[in-house]
Amino acid sequence: MEDIAELKLDGKSWKFPVVEGTEKERAIDISALRNDTGYITLDDGYGNTGSCQSQITFIDGERGILRYRGIPIEELAEKSTFIEVAHLIIMGRLPSSAELRRFSDLLTDNELLNESMKHHFEGFPTFAHPMAILSSMINASSCFYPELLSENSKEHFELQAARLLSQVRTIAAFAYRWSRGLPIIYPKPDLKYTANLLHMMFSLPYQDYDLKPEAAKALDLIFLLHADHEQNCSTATVRMVASSRANLFASAAAGVCALWGPLHGGANQAVLEMLEEIHREGDDGSRFIKAAKDKGSGKRLMGFGHRVYKNYDPRARIIKQACDDLLSKLNISDPLLDIAKHLEEAALSDSYFIERKLYPNVDFYSGIIMRAIGIPVEMFTVIFAIGRMPGWIANYREVMESSSSRISRPRQVYMGPTLSHYRPIKERK
Ligand code: SDX
């Protein structure tokens, strides 16, 4: 296949190199386009634009393939844990048992927030959305680590990464406790990562949370499945902020803000609200699907569709099975799960969704698991953010360690007024 792309414009022709990835994806390198031709490209939503070369995650949207550092998500879901996968994604390989012990100890040693951070929580109204608290407190936490801002912060990268990955969980739990008017519960060093979050969220000063292993396992799986997803909106945001050489915590806080949107990580909350609306109205989903197909309704089938997957999102398939397993183990029958399954069945046989290749994505079933565990819907996207933290950290590291990475600064096509001049106010109507 040609390694050169030729562009013909205004009677001239230019050649640009073709870059081929390790999975045979091909891209036209247009780094010299404007210098050579005076033209830029325009690609609304970057659907056709590669922003970087990365070695972290591979997705084949047509075939429904997702691999972290080359390992299929199905194998990791079956055999690994969130913290082991976090090491794989951040450090680039599965840890030896000594490396896993060291990484886990680093997380444990850094799970506490600076005690004075408690007062910040008291400044939020109890009805504050926890995503607003999460992004603010990640930046607030960084104020206690001035070395983050030092030139040689790379040397402390592993410690910074461990602090962020461990404390995002503590901040999430404290935000939940504040919203419920409950005293904060401190982490327990003998609990594993996910069990510790459930402990900090649901224990009481006089009574430890009745930790069900299957609930902790299901939540750990949700974190694992959300750990990275190549250049999605929030990860691309983290890379954008990292490209200005902002610190790791500032970049992650920006990622939290991007993830919050209902078209992205906020979709898991929107899915549950959609299912509850359908249930409340006694609809079996048919009326909602009709509305979702009508552009004028302003409704979408949340948890369906994906920019990259034009096939079933492999994570949705895994989560759907985990949903069934957990609900039967906890002996819960949730009418919202029945509605979700009916919606999926109806949509996957409806030409509107088939023609547009709209399938369930990671958000479609994840909320049912979180609801079964007792996590409130306003915390769903916070759970997504905790899961995505390893991916954000790994992408941040790639930007900082890349010798060729420049500050991200897209161009635009200007469509505003042409040259005009200032008019004194007495001349204006
Ligand atoms: C995540 O990028 C990632 O990797 C994200 C993520 C990750 O792990 O980081 O996978 C996590 O964000 C998953 C997506 C969660 N969002 C939702 O579930 C919200 C509902 N889905 C959509 O709004 C939509 O599908 C997006 C945002 C996910 C993708 O949007 P695109 O690629 O910009 O597609 P589009 O809006 O241009 O839609 C194409 C067509 C349109 O119809 P036509 O104009 O061609 O007639 O499909 C329609 C859309 O109206 N469409 C939907 C729909 N999604 C797309 N119609 C009804 N319901 C939907 N859910």
Side-chain angles (χ1 to χ4, degrees), residues 121-177:
F121 288 92
E122 290 154 17
F124 292 103
T126 52
F127 52 80
H129 195 290
M131 285 295 273
I133 298 176
L134 191 66
S135 57
S136 325
M137 299 300 267
I138 286 175
N139 259 322
S141 172
S142 73
C143 298
F144 295 91
Y145 309 119
E147 69 275 17
L148 271 168
L149 308 180
S150 68
E151 264 313 296
N152 63 348
S153 68
K154 259 194 259 183
E155 285 159 41
H156 313 291
F157 175 79
E158 207 173 325
L159 174 58
Q160 291 170 27
R163 276 179 182 147
L164 180 55
L165 183 56
S166 196
Q167 291 179 15
V168 67
R169 168 192 49 170
T170 311
I171 293 169
F174 286 17
Y176 168 72
R177 301 292 288 195

Short mmCIF file of all heavy atoms in Angstrom, two decimals, residues 121-177:
data_model
loop_
_atom_site.label_atom_id
_atom_site.label_comp_id
_atom_site.label_asym_id
_atom_site.label_seq_id
_atom_site.Cartn_x
_atom_site.Cartn_y
_atom_site.Cartn_z
N PHE A 121 -14.79 20.72 52.33
CA PHE A 121 -16.07 20.06 52.04
C PHE A 121 -17.21 20.87 52.66
O PHE A 121 -18.28 20.99 52.10
CB PHE A 121 -16.07 18.62 52.57
CG PHE A 121 -15.19 17.69 51.78
CD1 PHE A 121 -13.87 17.48 52.13
CD2 PHE A 121 -15.68 17.06 50.64
CE1 PHE A 121 -13.05 16.64 51.38
CE2 PHE A 121 -14.87 16.22 49.88
CZ PHE A 121 -13.56 16.01 50.25
N GLU A 122 -16.93 21.42 53.85
CA GLU A 122 -17.97 22.16 54.56
C GLU A 122 -18.39 23.43 53.82
O GLU A 122 -19.44 23.99 54.07
CB GLU A 122 -17.50 22.49 55.98
CG GLU A 122 -17.41 21.24 56.85
CD GLU A 122 -16.40 21.35 57.98
OE1 GLU A 122 -16.00 22.49 58.29
OE2 GLU A 122 -16.02 20.30 58.54
N GLY A 123 -17.56 23.83 52.84
CA GLY A 123 -17.90 25.03 52.07
C GLY A 123 -18.90 24.75 50.96
O GLY A 123 -19.46 25.65 50.35
N PHE A 124 -19.16 23.46 50.68
CA PHE A 124 -20.10 23.12 49.59
C PHE A 124 -21.50 22.94 50.16
O PHE A 124 -21.67 22.42 51.25
CB PHE A 124 -19.68 21.81 48.91
CG PHE A 124 -18.40 21.90 48.13
CD1 PHE A 124 -17.21 21.38 48.65
CD2 PHE A 124 -18.37 22.50 46.88
CE1 PHE A 124 -16.02 21.46 47.93
CE2 PHE A 124 -17.19 22.58 46.16
CZ PHE A 124 -16.01 22.07 46.67
N PRO A 125 -22.54 23.34 49.41
CA PRO A 125 -23.90 23.01 49.86
C PRO A 125 -24.06 21.49 49.81
O PRO A 125 -23.42 20.83 48.98
CB PRO A 125 -24.80 23.70 48.82
CG PRO A 125 -23.95 23.92 47.62
CD PRO A 125 -22.54 24.05 48.10
N THR A 126 -24.90 20.92 50.65
CA THR A 126 -25.02 19.45 50.66
C THR A 126 -25.59 18.94 49.34
O THR A 126 -25.42 17.79 48.99
CB THR A 126 -25.96 19.00 51.81
OG1 THR A 126 -27.18 19.75 51.68
CG2 THR A 126 -25.33 19.26 53.17
N PHE A 127 -26.26 19.87 48.58
CA PHE A 127 -26.83 19.41 47.30
C PHE A 127 -25.86 19.61 46.14
O PHE A 127 -26.22 19.45 44.98
CB PHE A 127 -28.16 20.14 47.03
CG PHE A 127 -28.07 21.64 47.12
CD1 PHE A 127 -27.57 22.40 46.07
CD2 PHE A 127 -28.45 22.29 48.31
CE1 PHE A 127 -27.45 23.78 46.17
CE2 PHE A 127 -28.34 23.68 48.42
CZ PHE A 127 -27.83 24.44 47.36
N ALA A 128 -24.61 19.99 46.44
CA ALA A 128 -23.62 20.19 45.35
C ALA A 128 -23.42 18.88 44.59
O ALA A 128 -23.39 17.80 45.19
CB ALA A 128 -22.30 20.65 45.95
N HIS A 129 -23.27 18.95 43.27
CA HIS A 129 -23.04 17.72 42.51
C HIS A 129 -21.61 17.23 42.82
O HIS A 129 -20.66 18.01 42.74
CB HIS A 129 -23.21 17.95 41.01
CG HIS A 129 -23.34 16.66 40.25
ND1 HIS A 129 -22.29 15.79 40.08
CD2 HIS A 129 -24.41 16.07 39.67
CE1 HIS A 129 -22.69 14.74 39.41
NE2 HIS A 129 -23.98 14.88 39.15
N PRO A 130 -21.45 15.97 43.16
CA PRO A 130 -20.12 15.48 43.55
C PRO A 130 -19.06 15.61 42.46
O PRO A 130 -17.87 15.62 42.78
CB PRO A 130 -20.36 14.02 43.92
CG PRO A 130 -21.68 13.66 43.36
CD PRO A 130 -22.48 14.92 43.27
N MET A 131 -19.46 15.77 41.19
CA MET A 131 -18.43 15.98 40.15
C MET A 131 -17.81 17.37 40.29
O MET A 131 -16.62 17.56 40.05
CB MET A 131 -19.03 15.79 38.75
CG MET A 131 -19.28 14.36 38.38
SD MET A 131 -17.77 13.38 38.26
CE MET A 131 -17.31 13.70 36.55
N ALA A 132 -18.60 18.33 40.74
CA ALA A 132 -18.05 19.68 40.98
C ALA A 132 -17.07 19.62 42.15
O ALA A 132 -15.98 20.20 42.11
CB ALA A 132 -19.18 20.66 41.27
N ILE A 133 -17.45 18.86 43.18
CA ILE A 133 -16.57 18.72 44.35
C ILE A 133 -15.30 17.98 43.95
O ILE A 133 -14.18 18.39 44.28
CB ILE A 133 -17.32 17.96 45.48
CG1 ILE A 133 -18.55 18.75 45.93
CG2 ILE A 133 -16.37 17.68 46.65
CD1 ILE A 133 -19.41 18.05 46.97
N LEU A 134 -15.45 16.93 43.15
CA LEU A 134 -14.30 16.10 42.77
C LEU A 134 -13.26 16.94 42.02
O LEU A 134 -12.06 16.93 42.35
CB LEU A 134 -14.76 14.93 41.91
CG LEU A 134 -13.74 13.83 41.65
CD1 LEU A 134 -13.36 13.09 42.91
CD2 LEU A 134 -14.27 12.85 40.60
N SER A 135 -13.71 17.70 41.02
CA SER A 135 -12.72 18.46 40.23
C SER A 135 -12.08 19.53 41.10
O SER A 135 -10.85 19.73 41.06
CB SER A 135 -13.37 19.08 39.00
OG SER A 135 -14.44 19.90 39.37
N SER A 136 -12.88 20.18 41.96
CA SER A 136 -12.30 21.23 42.84
C SER A 136 -11.30 20.64 43.82
O SER A 136 -10.21 21.16 44.00
CB SER A 136 -13.39 21.92 43.67
OG SER A 136 -14.58 22.03 42.96
N MET A 137 -11.68 19.50 44.43
CA MET A 137 -10.84 18.96 45.50
C MET A 137 -9.58 18.29 44.97
O MET A 137 -8.58 18.19 45.67
CB MET A 137 -11.65 17.99 46.36
CG MET A 137 -12.84 18.65 47.01
SD MET A 137 -12.30 19.99 48.10
CE MET A 137 -12.20 19.11 49.61
N ILE A 138 -9.59 17.84 43.73
CA ILE A 138 -8.35 17.29 43.16
C ILE A 138 -7.33 18.43 43.06
O ILE A 138 -6.17 18.30 43.46
CB ILE A 138 -8.61 16.65 41.78
CG1 ILE A 138 -9.35 15.32 41.94
CG2 ILE A 138 -7.30 16.44 41.02
CD1 ILE A 138 -9.76 14.66 40.63
N ASN A 139 -7.80 19.58 42.60
CA ASN A 139 -6.88 20.73 42.53
C ASN A 139 -6.50 21.21 43.93
O ASN A 139 -5.34 21.52 44.20
CB ASN A 139 -7.52 21.89 41.75
CG ASN A 139 -6.97 21.95 40.32
OD1 ASN A 139 -5.78 21.71 40.10
ND2 ASN A 139 -7.82 22.22 39.37
N ALA A 140 -7.47 21.21 44.85
CA ALA A 140 -7.17 21.66 46.23
C ALA A 140 -6.12 20.74 46.87
O ALA A 140 -5.20 21.20 47.52
CB ALA A 140 -8.46 21.65 47.05
N SER A 141 -6.24 19.45 46.59
CA SER A 141 -5.30 18.48 47.19
C SER A 141 -3.88 18.73 46.68
O SER A 141 -2.90 18.60 47.41
CB SER A 141 -5.77 17.08 46.82
OG SER A 141 -4.81 16.13 47.20
N SER A 142 -3.79 19.18 45.42
CA SER A 142 -2.45 19.38 44.84
C SER A 142 -1.70 20.52 45.55
O SER A 142 -0.47 20.57 45.54
CB SER A 142 -2.56 19.71 43.34
OG SER A 142 -3.05 21.03 43.15
N CYS A 143 -2.46 21.41 46.23
CA CYS A 143 -1.79 22.56 46.88
C CYS A 143 -0.85 22.09 48.00
O CYS A 143 0.03 22.81 48.42
CB CYS A 143 -2.84 23.50 47.46
SG CYS A 143 -3.91 24.18 46.17
N PHE A 144 -1.09 20.84 48.46
CA PHE A 144 -0.25 20.33 49.56
C PHE A 144 1.02 19.68 49.02
O PHE A 144 1.85 19.17 49.79
CB PHE A 144 -1.05 19.32 50.41
CG PHE A 144 -2.20 19.98 51.12
CD1 PHE A 144 -3.46 20.04 50.53
CD2 PHE A 144 -2.01 20.60 52.35
CE1 PHE A 144 -4.51 20.67 51.16
CE2 PHE A 144 -3.05 21.24 52.98
CZ PHE A 144 -4.32 21.28 52.39
N TYR A 145 1.17 19.67 47.69
CA TYR A 145 2.34 19.02 47.09
C TYR A 145 3.05 19.99 46.15
O TYR A 145 2.98 19.85 44.93
CB TYR A 145 1.91 17.77 46.33
CG TYR A 145 1.04 16.84 47.13
CD1 TYR A 145 -0.25 16.53 46.73
CD2 TYR A 145 1.51 16.29 48.34
CE1 TYR A 145 -1.05 15.70 47.48
CE2 TYR A 145 0.71 15.45 49.10
CZ TYR A 145 -0.58 15.16 48.68
OH TYR A 145 -1.37 14.34 49.43
N PRO A 146 3.73 20.99 46.71
CA PRO A 146 4.38 22.00 45.85
C PRO A 146 5.38 21.38 44.86
O PRO A 146 5.62 21.92 43.80
CB PRO A 146 5.09 22.92 46.85
CG PRO A 146 5.02 22.27 48.17
CD PRO A 146 3.94 21.26 48.14
N GLU A 147 5.88 20.16 45.19
CA GLU A 147 6.85 19.54 44.27
C GLU A 147 6.20 19.20 42.92
O GLU A 147 6.86 19.03 41.91
CB GLU A 147 7.49 18.29 44.88
CG GLU A 147 6.59 17.08 45.05
CD GLU A 147 5.80 17.13 46.36
OE1 GLU A 147 5.71 18.25 46.94
OE2 GLU A 147 5.29 16.09 46.79
N LEU A 148 4.86 19.17 42.91
CA LEU A 148 4.16 18.90 41.64
C LEU A 148 4.52 19.98 40.61
O LEU A 148 4.53 19.76 39.41
CB LEU A 148 2.64 18.96 41.86
CG LEU A 148 1.91 17.72 42.26
CD1 LEU A 148 0.49 18.06 42.70
CD2 LEU A 148 1.85 16.72 41.12
N LEU A 149 4.78 21.18 41.14
CA LEU A 149 4.99 22.31 40.23
C LEU A 149 6.47 22.48 39.89
O LEU A 149 6.84 23.35 39.12
CB LEU A 149 4.47 23.60 40.89
CG LEU A 149 3.02 23.53 41.41
CD1 LEU A 149 2.60 24.86 42.03
CD2 LEU A 149 2.08 23.16 40.27
N SER A 150 7.31 21.58 40.49
CA SER A 150 8.74 21.79 40.23
C SER A 150 9.11 21.20 38.87
O SER A 150 8.44 20.33 38.35
CB SER A 150 9.56 21.09 41.32
OG SER A 150 9.41 19.70 41.17
N GLU A 151 10.20 21.70 38.32
CA GLU A 151 10.67 21.29 37.01
C GLU A 151 10.89 19.78 36.95
O GLU A 151 10.46 19.10 36.04
CB GLU A 151 11.99 22.02 36.69
CG GLU A 151 11.81 23.28 35.86
CD GLU A 151 10.88 23.06 34.67
OE1 GLU A 151 11.21 22.27 33.77
OE2 GLU A 151 9.76 23.66 34.66
N ASN A 152 11.50 19.24 38.05
CA ASN A 152 11.87 17.81 37.96
C ASN A 152 10.76 16.93 38.53
O ASN A 152 11.00 15.91 39.15
CB ASN A 152 13.18 17.57 38.72
CG ASN A 152 12.99 17.90 40.20
OD1 ASN A 152 11.97 18.51 40.56
ND2 ASN A 152 13.93 17.50 41.03
N SER A 153 9.49 17.41 38.30
CA SER A 153 8.38 16.64 38.92
C SER A 153 8.32 15.23 38.35
O SER A 153 7.71 14.35 38.93
CB SER A 153 7.07 17.38 38.68
OG SER A 153 6.76 17.33 37.31
N LYS A 154 8.98 15.00 37.20
CA LYS A 154 8.95 13.65 36.61
C LYS A 154 9.50 12.62 37.58
O LYS A 154 9.03 11.50 37.64
CB LYS A 154 9.79 13.64 35.31
CG LYS A 154 8.93 13.72 34.04
CD LYS A 154 9.74 13.36 32.82
CE LYS A 154 10.16 14.60 32.07
NZ LYS A 154 10.90 14.30 30.82
N GLU A 155 10.50 13.02 38.37
CA GLU A 155 11.12 12.06 39.30
C GLU A 155 10.11 11.57 40.33
O GLU A 155 10.16 10.49 40.85
CB GLU A 155 12.28 12.74 40.05
CG GLU A 155 13.53 12.93 39.22
CD GLU A 155 14.39 14.04 39.84
OE1 GLU A 155 14.49 14.06 41.09
OE2 GLU A 155 14.88 14.87 39.07
N HIS A 156 9.09 12.45 40.61
CA HIS A 156 8.11 12.05 41.63
C HIS A 156 6.86 11.47 40.97
O HIS A 156 5.83 11.34 41.60
CB HIS A 156 7.69 13.28 42.46
CG HIS A 156 8.82 14.13 42.93
ND1 HIS A 156 9.71 13.70 43.89
CD2 HIS A 156 9.25 15.36 42.56
CE1 HIS A 156 10.60 14.66 44.11
NE2 HIS A 156 10.35 15.67 43.32
N PHE A 157 6.95 11.16 39.65
CA PHE A 157 5.72 10.81 38.93
C PHE A 157 4.95 9.68 39.61
O PHE A 157 3.75 9.76 39.84
CB PHE A 157 6.02 10.43 37.47
CG PHE A 157 4.78 9.96 36.77
CD1 PHE A 157 3.84 10.87 36.29
CD2 PHE A 157 4.51 8.60 36.66
CE1 PHE A 157 2.67 10.43 35.69
CE2 PHE A 157 3.33 8.16 36.05
CZ PHE A 157 2.41 9.08 35.56
N GLU A 158 5.66 8.59 39.97
CA GLU A 158 4.97 7.44 40.53
C GLU A 158 4.26 7.81 41.83
O GLU A 158 3.12 7.42 42.06
CB GLU A 158 5.98 6.31 40.78
CG GLU A 158 5.33 4.94 40.72
CD GLU A 158 6.37 3.81 40.80
OE1 GLU A 158 7.48 3.97 40.25
OE2 GLU A 158 6.05 2.81 41.45
N LEU A 159 4.93 8.64 42.64
CA LEU A 159 4.31 9.06 43.90
C LEU A 159 3.09 9.94 43.62
O LEU A 159 2.01 9.76 44.18
CB LEU A 159 5.33 9.82 44.75
CG LEU A 159 4.80 10.47 46.05
CD1 LEU A 159 4.18 9.41 46.97
CD2 LEU A 159 5.92 11.24 46.76
N GLN A 160 3.23 10.87 42.66
CA GLN A 160 2.09 11.74 42.31
C GLN A 160 0.92 10.91 41.80
O GLN A 160 -0.23 11.11 42.16
CB GLN A 160 2.49 12.70 41.20
CG GLN A 160 3.49 13.76 41.56
CD GLN A 160 3.97 14.48 40.30
OE1 GLN A 160 3.23 14.54 39.31
NE2 GLN A 160 5.17 15.00 40.35
N ALA A 161 1.26 9.92 40.96
CA ALA A 161 0.21 9.08 40.38
C ALA A 161 -0.50 8.30 41.48
O ALA A 161 -1.73 8.22 41.50
CB ALA A 161 0.83 8.13 39.36
N ALA A 162 0.27 7.77 42.43
CA ALA A 162 -0.33 7.00 43.52
C ALA A 162 -1.20 7.89 44.40
O ALA A 162 -2.31 7.52 44.78
CB ALA A 162 0.77 6.35 44.36
N ARG A 163 -0.71 9.10 44.66
CA ARG A 163 -1.51 10.03 45.47
C ARG A 163 -2.84 10.30 44.79
O ARG A 163 -3.91 10.19 45.37
CB ARG A 163 -0.77 11.36 45.61
CG ARG A 163 0.24 11.41 46.71
CD ARG A 163 0.93 12.75 46.73
NE ARG A 163 1.97 12.83 47.76
CZ ARG A 163 3.08 13.53 47.63
NH1 ARG A 163 3.29 14.21 46.50
NH2 ARG A 163 3.97 13.57 48.59
N LEU A 164 -2.78 10.60 43.50
CA LEU A 164 -4.01 10.96 42.77
C LEU A 164 -4.96 9.78 42.70
O LEU A 164 -6.16 9.90 42.99
CB LEU A 164 -3.64 11.44 41.36
CG LEU A 164 -4.78 11.87 40.46
CD1 LEU A 164 -5.63 12.95 41.09
CD2 LEU A 164 -4.25 12.34 39.10
N LEU A 165 -4.44 8.61 42.35
CA LEU A 165 -5.29 7.42 42.20
C LEU A 165 -5.90 7.03 43.54
O LEU A 165 -7.07 6.63 43.61
CB LEU A 165 -4.46 6.27 41.62
CG LEU A 165 -5.19 4.96 41.31
CD1 LEU A 165 -6.36 5.19 40.37
CD2 LEU A 165 -4.24 3.93 40.71
N SER A 166 -5.15 7.20 44.62
CA SER A 166 -5.66 6.81 45.93
C SER A 166 -6.62 7.86 46.48
O SER A 166 -7.71 7.55 46.96
CB SER A 166 -4.49 6.62 46.90
OG SER A 166 -4.92 5.92 48.03
N GLN A 167 -6.26 9.14 46.31
CA GLN A 167 -7.06 10.20 46.94
C GLN A 167 -8.35 10.51 46.18
O GLN A 167 -9.30 11.01 46.76
CB GLN A 167 -6.22 11.45 47.12
CG GLN A 167 -5.14 11.24 48.17
CD GLN A 167 -4.25 12.44 48.37
OE1 GLN A 167 -4.58 13.54 47.92
NE2 GLN A 167 -3.11 12.24 48.99
N VAL A 168 -8.40 10.20 44.90
CA VAL A 168 -9.64 10.46 44.15
C VAL A 168 -10.77 9.65 44.79
O VAL A 168 -11.91 10.09 44.88
CB VAL A 168 -9.50 10.12 42.65
CG1 VAL A 168 -9.31 8.64 42.37
CG2 VAL A 168 -10.68 10.66 41.85
N ARG A 169 -10.42 8.50 45.31
CA ARG A 169 -11.38 7.61 45.99
C ARG A 169 -11.80 8.21 47.33
O ARG A 169 -12.98 8.24 47.69
CB ARG A 169 -10.70 6.25 46.16
CG ARG A 169 -11.36 5.29 47.05
CD ARG A 169 -10.46 4.13 47.36
NE ARG A 169 -9.13 4.55 47.77
CZ ARG A 169 -8.22 3.72 48.29
NH1 ARG A 169 -8.51 2.46 48.45
NH2 ARG A 169 -7.03 4.15 48.62
N THR A 170 -10.83 8.76 48.06
CA THR A 170 -11.13 9.35 49.38
C THR A 170 -12.00 10.60 49.21
O THR A 170 -12.98 10.79 49.92
CB THR A 170 -9.82 9.70 50.10
OG1 THR A 170 -8.95 8.55 50.05
CG2 THR A 170 -10.07 10.08 51.54
N ILE A 171 -11.64 11.41 48.23
CA ILE A 171 -12.43 12.63 47.95
C ILE A 171 -13.86 12.25 47.59
O ILE A 171 -14.83 12.82 48.10
CB ILE A 171 -11.80 13.45 46.81
CG1 ILE A 171 -10.44 14.03 47.22
CG2 ILE A 171 -12.73 14.59 46.35
CD1 ILE A 171 -9.62 14.62 46.07
N ALA A 172 -14.01 11.23 46.75
CA ALA A 172 -15.35 10.78 46.32
C ALA A 172 -16.18 10.36 47.54
O ALA A 172 -17.34 10.75 47.69
CB ALA A 172 -15.24 9.63 45.33
N ALA A 173 -15.57 9.59 48.41
CA ALA A 173 -16.29 9.08 49.60
C ALA A 173 -16.66 10.24 50.52
O ALA A 173 -17.81 10.33 51.00
CB ALA A 173 -15.43 8.07 50.34
N PHE A 174 -15.73 11.17 50.73
CA PHE A 174 -16.00 12.31 51.62
C PHE A 174 -17.11 13.19 51.03
O PHE A 174 -17.98 13.70 51.74
CB PHE A 174 -14.73 13.15 51.84
CG PHE A 174 -13.71 12.52 52.77
CD1 PHE A 174 -13.77 11.16 53.08
CD2 PHE A 174 -12.69 13.27 53.30
CE1 PHE A 174 -12.82 10.57 53.92
CE2 PHE A 174 -11.72 12.70 54.15
CZ PHE A 174 -11.80 11.34 54.45
N ALA A 175 -17.11 13.33 49.71
CA ALA A 175 -18.16 14.14 49.07
C ALA A 175 -19.52 13.49 49.29
O ALA A 175 -20.51 14.17 49.59
CB ALA A 175 -17.88 14.26 47.57
N TYR A 176 -19.57 12.18 49.20
CA TYR A 176 -20.83 11.45 49.43
C TYR A 176 -21.28 11.64 50.87
O TYR A 176 -22.44 11.97 51.15
CB TYR A 176 -20.66 9.96 49.12
CG TYR A 176 -21.82 9.12 49.60
CD1 TYR A 176 -23.05 9.19 48.95
CD2 TYR A 176 -21.71 8.32 50.73
CE1 TYR A 176 -24.13 8.45 49.41
CE2 TYR A 176 -22.79 7.60 51.21
CZ TYR A 176 -24.00 7.66 50.54
OH TYR A 176 -25.07 6.95 51.02
N ARG A 177 -20.35 11.48 51.81
CA ARG A 177 -20.71 11.60 53.23
C ARG A 177 -21.23 13.02 53.53
O ARG A 177 -22.24 13.19 54.22
CB ARG A 177 -19.49 11.31 54.11
CG ARG A 177 -18.86 9.97 53.94
CD ARG A 177 -19.73 8.83 54.41
NE ARG A 177 -19.84 8.74 55.85
CZ ARG A 177 -20.30 7.67 56.49
NH1 ARG A 177 -20.69 6.63 55.78
NH2 ARG A 177 -20.41 7.66 57.80
#
